[in-house]
Amino acid sequence: MPRGGVPIAIEIGRRLGAPIDLVLVRKIGAPGYPEVALGAVTDGEEALTVVNPEVARRSGASPAYLQQARARELAEIERRRAIYLGERPRPNPKGRTAIVADDGLATGATARAAGAALRAQGAARLVLAAPVASRDAAAALTDIFDDVICLEQPEPFYGVGASYRDFHQLSDAEVVDALRDFSLRG
């Protein structure tokens, strides 16, 4: 989940009385337009890369660009894994229901990558939960998720941040504190 999804996951975990874990995902931005999701890469024993072929074609992303961007984002995933989880093993979703929490879905690239990674690892059921999404992104994700739960799908959709009073990028310290607080209180 994106760092911004951590507070969403914690609230879901509290409400369901369920444990939470992290599947780290990083967006791969299009050349010259880093906020446009060309694809995403996931954490895992075998890191999975999901690319939107239409965005790749339209942006002119070369295979070399994709390889460099993937390597850069995987390095960031490993940096974050060390800070957030230390030596804790990666989650094993085999045979389980996995809920992917995201702070919002503009294109759904990171959610798609997380869902694909969890499916490949044997998750029995996949649920996507996000407070806000574009209608197109929510509809497009029904091919990988068994359920897509989204509280708001505003039309027109101006971006995820438009639905929040405070949409700051969470710092590593905020993520670590939130995870520690959840594990202490459950």
Side-chain angles (χ1 to χ4, degrees):
M1 83 184 77
R3 278 194 293 197
V6 170
I8 309 302
I10 287 172
E11 188 59 30
I12 291 168
R14 282 192 178 125
R15 297 280 174 121
L16 296 177
I20 66 168
D21 210 328
L22 300 181
V23 175
L24 300 171
V25 180
R26 293 282 298 167
K27 174 176 67 178
I28 297 173
Y33 301 93
E35 290 306 313
V36 175
L38 167 63
V41 62
T42 66
D43 177 30
E45 295 295 326
E46 293 183 32
L48 179 68
T49 304
V50 175
V51 175
N52 180 322
E54 180 64 17
V55 175
R57 184 187 65 73
R58 292 177 79 189
S59 70
S62 69
Y65 173 85
L66 279 170
Q67 188 62 26
Q68 289 172 346
R70 181 182 189 275
R72 182 179 57 248
E73 298 308 335
L74 281 172
E76 179 62 13
I77 284 172
E78 288 306 313
R79 183 193 74 79
R80 289 181 182 186
R81 170 163 285 291
I83 292 169
Y84 301 166
L85 301 171
E87 297 299 317
R88 199 164 128 205
R90 287 178 170 87
N92 182 358
K94 188 170 185 160
R96 303 179 79 182
T97 295
I99 300 172
V100 174
D102 202 325
D103 56 5
L105 310 167
T107 65
T110 56
R112 177 170 293 284
L118 290 164
R119 276 281 184 227
Q121 294 170 36
R125 182 169 177 73
L126 287 176
V127 177
L128 175 61
V132 64
S134 73
R135 288 184 183 166
D136 289 343
L141 290 166
T142 60
D143 68 335
I144 194 158
F145 288 92
D146 299 300
D147 290 301
V148 176
I149 301 166
C150 182
L151 301 178
E152 293 182 18
Q153 294 181 28
E155 197 61 45
F157 182 78
Y158 293 113
V160 174
S163 295
Y164 286 85
R165 273 183 260 140
D166 177 6
F167 194 62
H168 75 279
Q169 180 75 343
L170 295 179
S171 69
D172 289 338
E174 287 174 299
V175 172
V176 169
D177 288 347
L179 292 170
R180 183 179 303 120
D181 183 54
F182 178 80
S183 67
L184 294 174
R185 295 184 193 183

